[in-house]
Amino acid sequence: MGPFNTIPMSVTSITPISDEELVKAIRMNDRDALGELYNRYYKKVFSKCYSFTRKQEEAFDLAQESLMKAFDNIHSFKGEASFSTWLYTITHRHCLAALKKNGRFQFHPLEENQLGDDEKNDPAPTTEEGTERAEQEMIMYSLINALPEKDRNLLHLKYMQGESIENLQVQLNISGSAVKMRLKRTREKLNALYALALTYGLDQVLEQIEVISSKMG
């Protein structure tokens, strides 16, 4: 199923058709409704995918795949949340799975040290725990990628590439104590953003992240 480039006339009107009405039409094999919903959300889905990859072509592919996955599973949309929330959840999970498949994402809680042997000895998580952990990873990764470049790079180097304080000291040309202080402040900022995301929603925090980050210093 390829991209839809125009909004079909049959689904345009003075009063905008709701997402839920379009979903009902799609379930009745209305391709015009499918094209309208695609056009309505493509740019937003692409933007979310780009926040994960920072690469135009890869974000384009992930956006197409996310939308097609949503349309292929449109019968599973129950209307318990808005269609946009349902679609963005599919997009987040698809992007996260793609990065994990390519070995480009490993999540660690942002504590002073990375996870050690204690985690390895924990029993295997239940399905519910695994789902909750995946949601936490999704939120944290989205926030990391939305941070100012300086903060984002520091966290990637330390927690995803596993660079030591000594290596960071050389790369950043600052003292070891300065590296530790920057890490501490960046962790605190990220953890505060994470708390806000849980309280007010990830989308709202991402929309205001530059303002929020500037206030945090």
Side-chain angles (χ1 to χ4, degrees), residues 136-153:
Q136 292 171 348
E137 291 180 1
M138 176 186 71
I139 294 172
M140 189 66 77
Y141 191 79
S142 297
L143 291 171
I144 288 174
N145 277 278
L147 286 173
E149 184 176 4
K150 182 175 69 173
D151 294 338
R152 185 173 67 248
N153 289 342

Side-chain angles (χ1 to χ4, degrees), residues 52-78:
F52 276 86
T53 67
R54 301 289 171 177
K55 296 179 180 179
Q56 292 273 353
E57 291 186 4
E58 190 171 358
F60 173 82
D61 290 340
L62 289 172
Q64 297 289 342
E65 292 164 3
S66 297
L67 285 161
M68 293 307 105
K69 179 175 288 189
F71 294 146
D72 287 342
N73 293 279
I74 200 74
H75 61 278
S76 68
F77 174 64
K78 305 299 183 184

Side-chain angles (χ1 to χ4, degrees), residues 60-125:
F60 173 82
D61 290 340
L62 289 172
Q64 297 289 342
E65 292 164 3
S66 297
L67 285 161
M68 293 307 105
K69 179 175 288 189
F71 294 146
D72 287 342
N73 293 279
I74 200 74
H75 61 278
S76 68
F77 174 64
K78 305 299 183 184
E80 297 172 353
S82 67
F83 175 79
S84 60
T85 297
W86 180 78
L87 175 60
Y88 296 157
T89 298
I90 289 176
T91 302
H92 274 296
R93 289 173 176 169
H94 184 64
C95 290
L96 193 62
L99 292 177
K100 284 184 175 181
K101 183 178 180 180
N102 294 332
R104 288 165 49 195
F105 174 53
Q106 294 180 346
F107 175 78
H108 298 285
L110 293 179
E111 303 295 342
E112 182 65 27
N113 298 310
Q114 296 187 35
L115 292 175
D117 293 336
D118 289 342
E119 186 197 45
K120 297 177 183 178
N121 294 328
D122 285 344

Side-chain angles (χ1 to χ4, degrees), residues 163-197:
E163 294 287 357
S164 65
I165 296 296
E166 292 74 17
N167 287 342
L168 290 174
Q169 183 178 341
V170 173
Q171 292 186 45
L172 302 176
N173 195 29
I174 57 178
S175 67
S177 59
V179 171
K180 293 178 181 179
M181 181 56 67
R182 277 186 56 181
L183 279 169
K184 180 175 182 294
R185 289 176 177 172
T186 305
R187 283 198 309 270
E188 290 174 347
K189 178 188 294 186
L190 182 60
N191 290 335
L193 289 169
Y194 181 79
L196 288 173

Side-chain angles (χ1 to χ4, degrees), residues 10-23 36 40:
S10 61
V11 293
T12 58
S13 62
I14 296 175
T15 303
I17 299 174
S18 70
D19 293 343
E20 288 71 25
E21 290 174 311
L22 289 172
V23 168
E36 164 64 8
R40 187 174 288 186

